[in-house]
Amino acid sequence: MSEAARALLHRLERLRTSVAALVAARSADDPTAGDPLRGLYISPETATRIVNAPAPQLPAPDGPFTPEPGDRLTAVAAGFGLTVLDELILLAALAPDVDRRFEQLYGYLNDDVGRRRASVALALELAGTGSYDPVARGRLHPAAPLVDGGLIVVEDEDRPLPGRALRVPERVVAHLLGDDTLDGQLGDARVELLAPVPGDESATADGLAARIAHSPRPVAVHLRERRAGSGADAVTAALRGAGRPVLHHRPERAEAATARLLLREARLRGAGTAVVVELPQDQPGPYVRELAAGDVTVVFAGTEPYDPGWAPDAGLLALEDTAAETAPLAAWSEELPSYEGDLADAVGPYRLGAGQVRRAARGARALAGFEGVPVGLGHVQKSARLLSAPLLDKHARRVRPAVGFGDLVLPDEPLALLHELAGRARHRDRVLGEWRLRTGGGRGRGVVALFAGDSGTGKTLAAEVVAGELGLDLYVVDLSSVVDKYVGETEKNLERIFSEADRTDSVLLFDEADAVFGKRSEVKSSHDRYANLESAYLLQRLEAFDGIAVLTTNLRANIDEAFTRRLDLVVDFPFPDVELRATLWRACLAGVPQEAGLEAELDACAKEFELAGGAVRSAAVTAGYLAAGRGSPVTAEDVRTGARREYVKSGRLVPGVGAAWTP
């Protein structure tokens, strides 16, 4: 038996003495005391006795009570601000939940064998007062600590207060008996109990998080994060490093009922327990008001700005998250000390907080252990990508990159610019953050590039290559789900995309970007004015963008010059010359069985047919299907047939033929 259970039973034995005295007093002048049907009906004699009986006066137990070691009721009273009267009421209410003998005794004292819990009148009588005492009745008011704190539930709302039953939730009874298991209702609500990790100095590195963790008194803080979860993770780590348990809540919806359960759990566990909440975006006002009680350290973290209307009287501190201002390379190095290679280069594209880094590193180690190999670049990228995957599927199509720079056939200049684009994405935190090369005006740390060139020159492929090089997913924005005929809806859809891309790690691709990033025009009608408003919104949003975006266009001249000024890089994709076209043909057919002497034919096709890379690939696919249909290797005629069909598709004259060739 635990010390807590032993101490509680000692208290209940003391209560049983009071109950026995009350039973003796009731039965002494009760003519129906021996009636086996007592409590099932009220006889005239019983009614007369009730009318003539004086008001009950039972003194409280004599002498001061000295709690035994492990007594949790005293600690609960301190944590919830209970009075001595509150303690006695709580003890009387929970007695049947621990010792079933009280059920029968309470049934007798309630004059109803079916009512085996303490009524309000009975609990107050056992506490030495009665339901005639306004102060005693006030201890069961909805705003009183016993009820408001969730320690007691006053049932039977249709009855008068003295006859209402008192119930103690099972979580409270279990805690008083020594059970520290998390409330099952909180587990269902996505609450995690995190034990303290004292002595973890790395967890308290961030100054703001350390100040919250070591505050001499409970504080309520709203922490606005640059990235979802980064600030919450930093504060959680700091609190645990300071030796404090943390209740970490990631609610799908912010409900006041869950906040009350959280507050009760924190108070039951003691003054050092803190609550860290990753706030959702759906009207968290009632939740915040309920949880910001002032006697428990509570940190509300979220990307949305603080709204004073949430809890105007709570005295919340509105602070900005500083944990994401610098790249957490130290946390990566600490978690992966044996990583072979340039760790800074591998993790540069990921903007994760310290806590997220630790989870990603654990995932990378587990994945490498499963494969039986040392932790490598692929393990780190896969684990980090899972933590930072955006939720853009409604407005964008996800592409898991499966190509690299070896698959690109481009001149040296655009190839070098693509490498520079990947480098900018990796090192932006160092250059714009540590080296302070970011301009003012609220400009973000985003990397935005424009890929310009004719159709089929490799712009989309290049975006996929850059994403694959960075270990990120590519999201191709679906313009049909973004552009809306109603005024203002297009901007709302774009804002959802930009906001999600800001908070997570991915490469955003706006294919055919001139549809939304086109030039502004002179206002001649209301349509022109609203179109210009859309462009103005995009100009402002690009300034504050924190993610990685690629715009592609076939006509660079259609892009507004104001957008061009905000671009980090402009990469021109030239139409391939003869040498590049020959290389493209060989690259597309590299894995295909070929007849002898096909190399010379590929050089001839490169000279005769002026095709871009996309058209060359389509022609190679056609040649492959023709060969597969015959069950033989690809021949020169297959290649020429594919090239001619691409000419016909574009409406061009086939070389060596007087008119458009028809297959």
PDB file of all heavy atoms in Angstrom, residues 385 390 392-393 396-401 403 459-468 471-477 505-510 548-550:
ATOM      1  N   ARG A 385      11.986  15.973 -43.227  1.00  0.00           N
ATOM      2  CA  ARG A 385      10.900  16.304 -44.150  1.00  0.00           C
ATOM      3  C   ARG A 385       9.546  15.892 -43.585  1.00  0.00           C
ATOM      4  O   ARG A 385       8.545  16.578 -43.767  1.00  0.00           O
ATOM      5  CB  ARG A 385      11.147  15.630 -45.500  1.00  0.00           C
ATOM      6  CG  ARG A 385      10.175  16.047 -46.594  1.00  0.00           C
ATOM      7  CD  ARG A 385      10.655  15.580 -47.943  1.00  0.00           C
ATOM      8  NE  ARG A 385      10.837  14.150 -47.986  1.00  0.00           N
ATOM      9  CZ  ARG A 385      11.922  13.550 -48.469  1.00  0.00           C
ATOM     10  NH1 ARG A 385      12.927  14.268 -48.943  1.00  0.00           N
ATOM     11  NH2 ARG A 385      12.014  12.229 -48.493  1.00  0.00           N
ATOM     12  N   PRO A 390       4.311  20.317 -45.403  1.00  0.00           N
ATOM     13  CA  PRO A 390       3.181  21.258 -45.395  1.00  0.00           C
ATOM     14  C   PRO A 390       1.865  20.575 -45.740  1.00  0.00           C
ATOM     15  O   PRO A 390       1.838  19.450 -46.224  1.00  0.00           O
ATOM     16  CB  PRO A 390       3.570  22.276 -46.471  1.00  0.00           C
ATOM     17  CG  PRO A 390       4.424  21.500 -47.419  1.00  0.00           C
ATOM     18  CD  PRO A 390       5.145  20.464 -46.600  1.00  0.00           C
ATOM     19  N   LEU A 392      -0.529  21.426 -48.054  1.00  0.00           N
ATOM     20  CA  LEU A 392      -0.925  22.228 -49.209  1.00  0.00           C
ATOM     21  C   LEU A 392      -1.686  21.417 -50.251  1.00  0.00           C
ATOM     22  O   LEU A 392      -1.903  21.892 -51.361  1.00  0.00           O
ATOM     23  CB  LEU A 392       0.330  22.822 -49.878  1.00  0.00           C
ATOM     24  CG  LEU A 392       1.049  23.934 -49.114  1.00  0.00           C
ATOM     25  CD1 LEU A 392       2.364  24.248 -49.798  1.00  0.00           C
ATOM     26  CD2 LEU A 392       0.195  25.175 -49.055  1.00  0.00           C
ATOM     27  N   ASP A 393      -2.093  20.212 -49.898  1.00  0.00           N
ATOM     28  CA  ASP A 393      -2.652  19.325 -50.911  1.00  0.00           C
ATOM     29  C   ASP A 393      -3.927  19.863 -51.549  1.00  0.00           C
ATOM     30  O   ASP A 393      -4.282  19.461 -52.646  1.00  0.00           O
ATOM     31  CB  ASP A 393      -2.935  17.956 -50.304  1.00  0.00           C
ATOM     32  CG  ASP A 393      -1.643  17.252 -49.894  1.00  0.00           C
ATOM     33  OD1 ASP A 393      -0.614  17.548 -50.515  1.00  0.00           O
ATOM     34  OD2 ASP A 393      -1.673  16.446 -48.954  1.00  0.00           O
ATOM     35  N   ALA A 396      -2.279  22.567 -54.082  1.00  0.00           N
ATOM     36  CA  ALA A 396      -1.043  22.271 -54.787  1.00  0.00           C
ATOM     37  C   ALA A 396      -0.868  20.769 -54.922  1.00  0.00           C
ATOM     38  O   ALA A 396      -1.421  19.983 -54.155  1.00  0.00           O
ATOM     39  CB  ALA A 396       0.151  22.889 -54.052  1.00  0.00           C
ATOM     40  N   ARG A 397      -0.096  20.383 -55.910  1.00  0.00           N
ATOM     41  CA  ARG A 397       0.186  18.967 -56.163  1.00  0.00           C
ATOM     42  C   ARG A 397       1.602  18.650 -55.693  1.00  0.00           C
ATOM     43  O   ARG A 397       2.566  19.291 -56.112  1.00  0.00           O
ATOM     44  CB  ARG A 397       0.034  18.676 -57.656  1.00  0.00           C
ATOM     45  CG  ARG A 397       0.444  17.270 -58.076  1.00  0.00           C
ATOM     46  CD  ARG A 397       0.110  17.048 -59.544  1.00  0.00           C
ATOM     47  NE  ARG A 397       0.670  18.084 -60.401  1.00  0.00           N
ATOM     48  CZ  ARG A 397       1.901  18.025 -60.919  1.00  0.00           C
ATOM     49  NH1 ARG A 397       2.683  16.991 -60.676  1.00  0.00           N
ATOM     50  NH2 ARG A 397       2.330  18.989 -61.706  1.00  0.00           N
ATOM     51  N   ARG A 398       1.699  17.664 -54.809  1.00  0.00           N
ATOM     52  CA  ARG A 398       3.014  17.337 -54.266  1.00  0.00           C
ATOM     53  C   ARG A 398       3.777  16.439 -55.220  1.00  0.00           C
ATOM     54  O   ARG A 398       3.238  15.500 -55.782  1.00  0.00           O
ATOM     55  CB  ARG A 398       2.885  16.641 -52.908  1.00  0.00           C
ATOM     56  CG  ARG A 398       4.231  16.403 -52.247  1.00  0.00           C
ATOM     57  CD  ARG A 398       4.100  15.788 -50.876  1.00  0.00           C
ATOM     58  NE  ARG A 398       3.669  14.398 -50.955  1.00  0.00           N
ATOM     59  CZ  ARG A 398       3.661  13.573 -49.929  1.00  0.00           C
ATOM     60  NH1 ARG A 398       4.022  14.011 -48.733  1.00  0.00           N
ATOM     61  NH2 ARG A 398       3.246  12.326 -50.069  1.00  0.00           N
ATOM     62  N   VAL A 399       5.062  16.755 -55.380  1.00  0.00           N
ATOM     63  CA  VAL A 399       5.966  15.952 -56.199  1.00  0.00           C
ATOM     64  C   VAL A 399       7.133  15.540 -55.314  1.00  0.00           C
ATOM     65  O   VAL A 399       7.830  16.407 -54.768  1.00  0.00           O
ATOM     66  CB  VAL A 399       6.475  16.740 -57.429  1.00  0.00           C
ATOM     67  CG1 VAL A 399       7.488  15.908 -58.202  1.00  0.00           C
ATOM     68  CG2 VAL A 399       5.309  17.156 -58.322  1.00  0.00           C
ATOM     69  N   ARG A 400       7.330  14.255 -55.130  1.00  0.00           N
ATOM     70  CA  ARG A 400       8.479  13.762 -54.382  1.00  0.00           C
ATOM     71  C   ARG A 400       9.652  13.681 -55.362  1.00  0.00           C
ATOM     72  O   ARG A 400       9.651  12.842 -56.255  1.00  0.00           O
ATOM     73  CB  ARG A 400       8.169  12.409 -53.766  1.00  0.00           C
ATOM     74  CG  ARG A 400       9.259  11.841 -52.891  1.00  0.00           C
ATOM     75  CD  ARG A 400       9.579  12.693 -51.678  1.00  0.00           C
ATOM     76  NE  ARG A 400       8.451  12.988 -50.845  1.00  0.00           N
ATOM     77  CZ  ARG A 400       7.972  12.184 -49.897  1.00  0.00           C
ATOM     78  NH1 ARG A 400       8.501  11.004 -49.699  1.00  0.00           N
ATOM     79  NH2 ARG A 400       6.957  12.569 -49.150  1.00  0.00           N
ATOM     80  N   PRO A 401      10.651  14.545 -55.247  1.00  0.00           N
ATOM     81  CA  PRO A 401      11.722  14.611 -56.251  1.00  0.00           C
ATOM     82  C   PRO A 401      12.429  13.268 -56.426  1.00  0.00           C
ATOM     83  O   PRO A 401      12.749  12.585 -55.451  1.00  0.00           O
ATOM     84  CB  PRO A 401      12.678  15.663 -55.668  1.00  0.00           C
ATOM     85  CG  PRO A 401      11.810  16.509 -54.794  1.00  0.00           C
ATOM     86  CD  PRO A 401      10.817  15.564 -54.200  1.00  0.00           C
ATOM     87  N   VAL A 403      14.883  13.156 -59.172  1.00  0.00           N
ATOM     88  CA  VAL A 403      15.935  13.508 -60.132  1.00  0.00           C
ATOM     89  C   VAL A 403      16.982  14.352 -59.428  1.00  0.00           C
ATOM     90  O   VAL A 403      16.751  14.906 -58.350  1.00  0.00           O
ATOM     91  CB  VAL A 403      15.363  14.279 -61.341  1.00  0.00           C
ATOM     92  CG1 VAL A 403      14.487  13.385 -62.191  1.00  0.00           C
ATOM     93  CG2 VAL A 403      14.559  15.497 -60.868  1.00  0.00           C
ATOM     94  N   LYS A 459      12.397  23.940 -67.239  1.00  0.00           N
ATOM     95  CA  LYS A 459      12.165  24.798 -66.062  1.00  0.00           C
ATOM     96  C   LYS A 459      11.559  23.993 -64.904  1.00  0.00           C
ATOM     97  O   LYS A 459      12.032  24.070 -63.760  1.00  0.00           O
ATOM     98  CB  LYS A 459      11.244  25.956 -66.445  1.00  0.00           C
ATOM     99  CG  LYS A 459      11.774  26.822 -67.575  1.00  0.00           C
ATOM    100  CD  LYS A 459      10.870  27.991 -67.867  1.00  0.00           C
ATOM    101  CE  LYS A 459       9.512  27.570 -68.417  1.00  0.00           C
ATOM    102  NZ  LYS A 459       9.593  26.874 -69.697  1.00  0.00           N
ATOM    103  N   THR A 460      10.500  23.232 -65.181  1.00  0.00           N
ATOM    104  CA  THR A 460       9.860  22.444 -64.113  1.00  0.00           C
ATOM    105  C   THR A 460      10.796  21.357 -63.603  1.00  0.00           C
ATOM    106  O   THR A 460      10.870  21.098 -62.398  1.00  0.00           O
ATOM    107  CB  THR A 460       8.553  21.821 -64.625  1.00  0.00           C
ATOM    108  OG1 THR A 460       7.696  22.860 -65.115  1.00  0.00           O
ATOM    109  CG2 THR A 460       7.844  21.066 -63.520  1.00  0.00           C
ATOM    110  N   LEU A 461      11.520  20.731 -64.512  1.00  0.00           N
ATOM    111  CA  LEU A 461      12.488  19.712 -64.109  1.00  0.00           C
ATOM    112  C   LEU A 461      13.557  20.316 -63.207  1.00  0.00           C
ATOM    113  O   LEU A 461      13.967  19.710 -62.206  1.00  0.00           O
ATOM    114  CB  LEU A 461      13.125  19.077 -65.343  1.00  0.00           C
ATOM    115  CG  LEU A 461      14.198  18.014 -65.070  1.00  0.00           C
ATOM    116  CD1 LEU A 461      13.584  16.816 -64.365  1.00  0.00           C
ATOM    117  CD2 LEU A 461      14.884  17.589 -66.367  1.00  0.00           C
ATOM    118  N   ALA A 462      14.009  21.522 -63.540  1.00  0.00           N
ATOM    119  CA  ALA A 462      15.030  22.173 -62.732  1.00  0.00           C
ATOM    120  C   ALA A 462      14.515  22.465 -61.325  1.00  0.00           C
ATOM    121  O   ALA A 462      15.248  22.334 -60.337  1.00  0.00           O
ATOM    122  CB  ALA A 462      15.486  23.467 -63.403  1.00  0.00           C
ATOM    123  N   ALA A 463      13.236  22.881 -61.210  1.00  0.00           N
ATOM    124  CA  ALA A 463      12.657  23.117 -59.886  1.00  0.00           C
ATOM    125  C   ALA A 463      12.635  21.827 -59.072  1.00  0.00           C
ATOM    126  O   ALA A 463      12.925  21.823 -57.863  1.00  0.00           O
ATOM    127  CB  ALA A 463      11.249  23.688 -60.023  1.00  0.00           C
ATOM    128  N   GLU A 464      12.316  20.710 -59.724  1.00  0.00           N
ATOM    129  CA  GLU A 464      12.316  19.426 -59.020  1.00  0.00           C
ATOM    130  C   GLU A 464      13.728  19.035 -58.600  1.00  0.00           C
ATOM    131  O   GLU A 464      13.941  18.494 -57.505  1.00  0.00           O
ATOM    132  CB  GLU A 464      11.716  18.348 -59.924  1.00  0.00           C
ATOM    133  CG  GLU A 464      11.575  16.998 -59.240  1.00  0.00           C
ATOM    134  CD  GLU A 464      10.939  15.955 -60.149  1.00  0.00           C
ATOM    135  OE1 GLU A 464      10.412  16.328 -61.216  1.00  0.00           O
ATOM    136  OE2 GLU A 464      10.985  14.761 -59.778  1.00  0.00           O
ATOM    137  N   VAL A 465      14.697  19.331 -59.444  1.00  0.00           N
ATOM    138  CA  VAL A 465      16.097  19.022 -59.110  1.00  0.00           C
ATOM    139  C   VAL A 465      16.547  19.823 -57.890  1.00  0.00           C
ATOM    140  O   VAL A 465      17.196  19.290 -56.982  1.00  0.00           O
ATOM    141  CB  VAL A 465      17.005  19.307 -60.324  1.00  0.00           C
ATOM    142  CG1 VAL A 465      18.471  19.306 -59.907  1.00  0.00           C
ATOM    143  CG2 VAL A 465      16.764  18.277 -61.414  1.00  0.00           C
ATOM    144  N   VAL A 466      16.210  21.101 -57.854  1.00  0.00           N
ATOM    145  CA  VAL A 466      16.591  21.943 -56.710  1.00  0.00           C
ATOM    146  C   VAL A 466      15.936  21.418 -55.435  1.00  0.00           C
ATOM    147  O   VAL A 466      16.584  21.323 -54.378  1.00  0.00           O
ATOM    148  CB  VAL A 466      16.196  23.413 -56.963  1.00  0.00           C
ATOM    149  CG1 VAL A 466      16.374  24.247 -55.695  1.00  0.00           C
ATOM    150  CG2 VAL A 466      17.042  23.991 -58.090  1.00  0.00           C
ATOM    151  N   ALA A 467      14.655  21.060 -55.518  1.00  0.00           N
ATOM    152  CA  ALA A 467      13.972  20.512 -54.342  1.00  0.00           C
ATOM    153  C   ALA A 467      14.636  19.222 -53.887  1.00  0.00           C
ATOM    154  O   ALA A 467      14.839  18.991 -52.682  1.00  0.00           O
ATOM    155  CB  ALA A 467      12.493  20.287 -54.652  1.00  0.00           C
ATOM    156  N   GLY A 468      14.973  18.342 -54.834  1.00  0.00           N
ATOM    157  CA  GLY A 468      15.642  17.101 -54.469  1.00  0.00           C
ATOM    158  C   GLY A 468      17.006  17.332 -53.867  1.00  0.00           C
ATOM    159  O   GLY A 468      17.412  16.631 -52.933  1.00  0.00           O
ATOM    160  N   GLY A 471      16.546  18.187 -50.351  1.00  0.00           N
ATOM    161  CA  GLY A 471      15.844  17.198 -49.537  1.00  0.00           C
ATOM    162  C   GLY A 471      14.437  17.622 -49.166  1.00  0.00           C
ATOM    163  O   GLY A 471      13.917  17.218 -48.129  1.00  0.00           O
ATOM    164  N   LEU A 472      13.782  18.412 -50.018  1.00  0.00           N
ATOM    165  CA  LEU A 472      12.443  18.925 -49.747  1.00  0.00           C
ATOM    166  C   LEU A 472      11.466  18.411 -50.797  1.00  0.00           C
ATOM    167  O   LEU A 472      11.865  17.987 -51.890  1.00  0.00           O
ATOM    168  CB  LEU A 472      12.441  20.461 -49.755  1.00  0.00           C
ATOM    169  CG  LEU A 472      13.404  21.166 -48.805  1.00  0.00           C
ATOM    170  CD1 LEU A 472      13.333  22.675 -49.021  1.00  0.00           C
ATOM    171  CD2 LEU A 472      13.075  20.822 -47.368  1.00  0.00           C
ATOM    172  N   ASP A 473      10.192  18.467 -50.467  1.00  0.00           N
ATOM    173  CA  ASP A 473       9.154  18.146 -51.439  1.00  0.00           C
ATOM    174  C   ASP A 473       8.880  19.363 -52.316  1.00  0.00           C
ATOM    175  O   ASP A 473       9.022  20.511 -51.871  1.00  0.00           O
ATOM    176  CB  ASP A 473       7.861  17.736 -50.735  1.00  0.00           C
ATOM    177  CG  ASP A 473       7.960  16.355 -50.109  1.00  0.00           C
ATOM    178  OD1 ASP A 473       8.772  15.548 -50.593  1.00  0.00           O
ATOM    179  OD2 ASP A 473       7.231  16.093 -49.133  1.00  0.00           O
ATOM    180  N   LEU A 474       8.473  19.106 -53.540  1.00  0.00           N
ATOM    181  CA  LEU A 474       8.080  20.167 -54.471  1.00  0.00           C
ATOM    182  C   LEU A 474       6.557  20.197 -54.522  1.00  0.00           C
ATOM    183  O   LEU A 474       5.913  19.161 -54.722  1.00  0.00           O
ATOM    184  CB  LEU A 474       8.651  19.899 -55.858  1.00  0.00           C
ATOM    185  CG  LEU A 474       8.255  20.904 -56.958  1.00  0.00           C
ATOM    186  CD1 LEU A 474       8.936  22.245 -56.718  1.00  0.00           C
ATOM    187  CD2 LEU A 474       8.631  20.360 -58.337  1.00  0.00           C
ATOM    188  N   TYR A 475       5.991  21.390 -54.332  1.00  0.00           N
ATOM    189  CA  TYR A 475       4.541  21.564 -54.425  1.00  0.00           C
ATOM    190  C   TYR A 475       4.232  22.463 -55.610  1.00  0.00           C
ATOM    191  O   TYR A 475       4.617  23.639 -55.622  1.00  0.00           O
ATOM    192  CB  TYR A 475       3.980  22.163 -53.136  1.00  0.00           C
ATOM    193  CG  TYR A 475       3.745  21.133 -52.060  1.00  0.00           C
ATOM    194  CD1 TYR A 475       4.780  20.706 -51.249  1.00  0.00           C
ATOM    195  CD2 TYR A 475       2.495  20.557 -51.878  1.00  0.00           C
ATOM    196  CE1 TYR A 475       4.575  19.743 -50.272  1.00  0.00           C
ATOM    197  CE2 TYR A 475       2.275  19.599 -50.912  1.00  0.00           C
ATOM    198  CZ  TYR A 475       3.321  19.192 -50.111  1.00  0.00           C
ATOM    199  OH  TYR A 475       3.115  18.236 -49.155  1.00  0.00           O
ATOM    200  N   VAL A 476       3.567  21.897 -56.612  1.00  0.00           N
ATOM    201  CA  VAL A 476       3.199  22.640 -57.816  1.00  0.00           C
ATOM    202  C   VAL A 476       1.820  23.241 -57.578  1.00  0.00           C
ATOM    203  O   VAL A 476       0.833  22.517 -57.397  1.00  0.00           O
ATOM    204  CB  VAL A 476       3.183  21.720 -59.052  1.00  0.00           C
ATOM    205  CG1 VAL A 476       2.869  22.538 -60.298  1.00  0.00           C
ATOM    206  CG2 VAL A 476       4.517  20.999 -59.188  1.00  0.00           C
ATOM    207  N   VAL A 477       1.744  24.557 -57.560  1.00  0.00           N
ATOM    208  CA  VAL A 477       0.492  25.242 -57.262  1.00  0.00           C
ATOM    209  C   VAL A 477      -0.488  25.041 -58.414  1.00  0.00           C
ATOM    210  O   VAL A 477      -0.162  25.281 -59.583  1.00  0.00           O
ATOM    211  CB  VAL A 477       0.734  26.745 -57.025  1.00  0.00           C
ATOM    212  CG1 VAL A 477      -0.593  27.467 -56.790  1.00  0.00           C
ATOM    213  CG2 VAL A 477       1.652  26.945 -55.835  1.00  0.00           C
ATOM    214  N   ASP A 505       8.712  23.440 -44.505  1.00  0.00           N
ATOM    215  CA  ASP A 505       9.839  23.387 -45.431  1.00  0.00           C
ATOM    216  C   ASP A 505       9.434  22.644 -46.695  1.00  0.00           C
ATOM    217  O   ASP A 505       9.136  21.442 -46.655  1.00  0.00           O
ATOM    218  CB  ASP A 505      11.034  22.689 -44.768  1.00  0.00           C
ATOM    219  CG  ASP A 505      11.559  23.467 -43.582  1.00  0.00           C
ATOM    220  OD1 ASP A 505      11.729  24.680 -43.722  1.00  0.00           O
ATOM    221  OD2 ASP A 505      11.788  22.865 -42.526  1.00  0.00           O
ATOM    222  N   SER A 506       9.432  23.373 -47.797  1.00  0.00           N
ATOM    223  CA  SER A 506       9.123  22.789 -49.096  1.00  0.00           C
ATOM    224  C   SER A 506       9.534  23.806 -50.150  1.00  0.00           C
ATOM    225  O   SER A 506       9.890  24.945 -49.832  1.00  0.00           O
ATOM    226  CB  SER A 506       7.628  22.475 -49.222  1.00  0.00           C
ATOM    227  OG  SER A 506       6.873  23.672 -49.119  1.00  0.00           O
ATOM    228  N   VAL A 507       9.493  23.377 -51.404  1.00  0.00           N
ATOM    229  CA  VAL A 507       9.728  24.288 -52.529  1.00  0.00           C
ATOM    230  C   VAL A 507       8.400  24.480 -53.234  1.00  0.00           C
ATOM    231  O   VAL A 507       7.747  23.507 -53.638  1.00  0.00           O
ATOM    232  CB  VAL A 507      10.787  23.730 -53.490  1.00  0.00           C
ATOM    233  CG1 VAL A 507      10.934  24.645 -54.704  1.00  0.00           C
ATOM    234  CG2 VAL A 507      12.123  23.574 -52.788  1.00  0.00           C
ATOM    235  N   LEU A 508       7.989  25.730 -53.364  1.00  0.00           N
ATOM    236  CA  LEU A 508       6.709  26.081 -53.970  1.00  0.00           C
ATOM    237  C   LEU A 508       6.942  26.454 -55.431  1.00  0.00           C
ATOM    238  O   LEU A 508       7.791  27.305 -55.729  1.00  0.00           O
ATOM    239  CB  LEU A 508       6.113  27.261 -53.204  1.00  0.00           C
ATOM    240  CG  LEU A 508       4.598  27.458 -53.199  1.00  0.00           C
ATOM    241  CD1 LEU A 508       3.904  26.233 -52.648  1.00  0.00           C
ATOM    242  CD2 LEU A 508       4.258  28.683 -52.371  1.00  0.00           C
ATOM    243  N   LEU A 509       6.222  25.822 -56.341  1.00  0.00           N
ATOM    244  CA  LEU A 509       6.386  26.090 -57.769  1.00  0.00           C
ATOM    245  C   LEU A 509       5.115  26.693 -58.333  1.00  0.00           C
ATOM    246  O   LEU A 509       4.045  26.073 -58.293  1.00  0.00           O
ATOM    247  CB  LEU A 509       6.730  24.793 -58.518  1.00  0.00           C
ATOM    248  CG  LEU A 509       6.803  24.911 -60.050  1.00  0.00           C
ATOM    249  CD1 LEU A 509       7.905  25.865 -60.474  1.00  0.00           C
ATOM    250  CD2 LEU A 509       7.001  23.544 -60.690  1.00  0.00           C
ATOM    251  N   PHE A 510       5.233  27.925 -58.848  1.00  0.00           N
ATOM    252  CA  PHE A 510       4.144  28.566 -59.573  1.00  0.00           C
ATOM    253  C   PHE A 510       4.437  28.400 -61.063  1.00  0.00           C
ATOM    254  O   PHE A 510       5.192  29.177 -61.653  1.00  0.00           O
ATOM    255  CB  PHE A 510       4.044  30.052 -59.215  1.00  0.00           C
ATOM    256  CG  PHE A 510       3.516  30.324 -57.841  1.00  0.00           C
ATOM    257  CD1 PHE A 510       4.389  30.432 -56.767  1.00  0.00           C
ATOM    258  CD2 PHE A 510       2.163  30.468 -57.611  1.00  0.00           C
ATOM    259  CE1 PHE A 510       3.914  30.689 -55.493  1.00  0.00           C
ATOM    260  CE2 PHE A 510       1.675  30.718 -56.339  1.00  0.00           C
ATOM    261  CZ  PHE A 510       2.554  30.825 -55.274  1.00  0.00           C
ATOM    262  N   ILE A 548      10.609  28.982 -49.818  1.00  0.00           N
ATOM    263  CA  ILE A 548      11.358  28.876 -51.078  1.00  0.00           C
ATOM    264  C   ILE A 548      10.331  28.741 -52.194  1.00  0.00           C
ATOM    265  O   ILE A 548       9.471  27.852 -52.145  1.00  0.00           O
ATOM    266  CB  ILE A 548      12.293  27.657 -51.073  1.00  0.00           C
ATOM    267  CG1 ILE A 548      13.222  27.695 -49.860  1.00  0.00           C
ATOM    268  CG2 ILE A 548      13.101  27.581 -52.359  1.00  0.00           C
ATOM    269  CD1 ILE A 548      13.989  26.405 -49.649  1.00  0.00           C
ATOM    270  N   ALA A 549      10.402  29.626 -53.179  1.00  0.00           N
ATOM    271  CA  ALA A 549       9.427  29.617 -54.267  1.00  0.00           C
ATOM    272  C   ALA A 549      10.142  29.766 -55.603  1.00  0.00           C
ATOM    273  O   ALA A 549      11.153  30.475 -55.714  1.00  0.00           O
ATOM    274  CB  ALA A 549       8.397  30.731 -54.095  1.00  0.00           C
ATOM    275  N   VAL A 550       9.608  29.086 -56.597  1.00  0.00           N
ATOM    276  CA  VAL A 550      10.127  29.180 -57.962  1.00  0.00           C
ATOM    277  C   VAL A 550       8.957  29.562 -58.860  1.00  0.00           C
ATOM    278  O   VAL A 550       7.893  28.926 -58.814  1.00  0.00           O
ATOM    279  CB  VAL A 550      10.747  27.847 -58.420  1.00  0.00           C
ATOM    280  CG1 VAL A 550      11.137  27.928 -59.894  1.00  0.00           C
ATOM    281  CG2 VAL A 550      11.962  27.496 -57.569  1.00  0.00           C
TER     282      VAL A 550
END
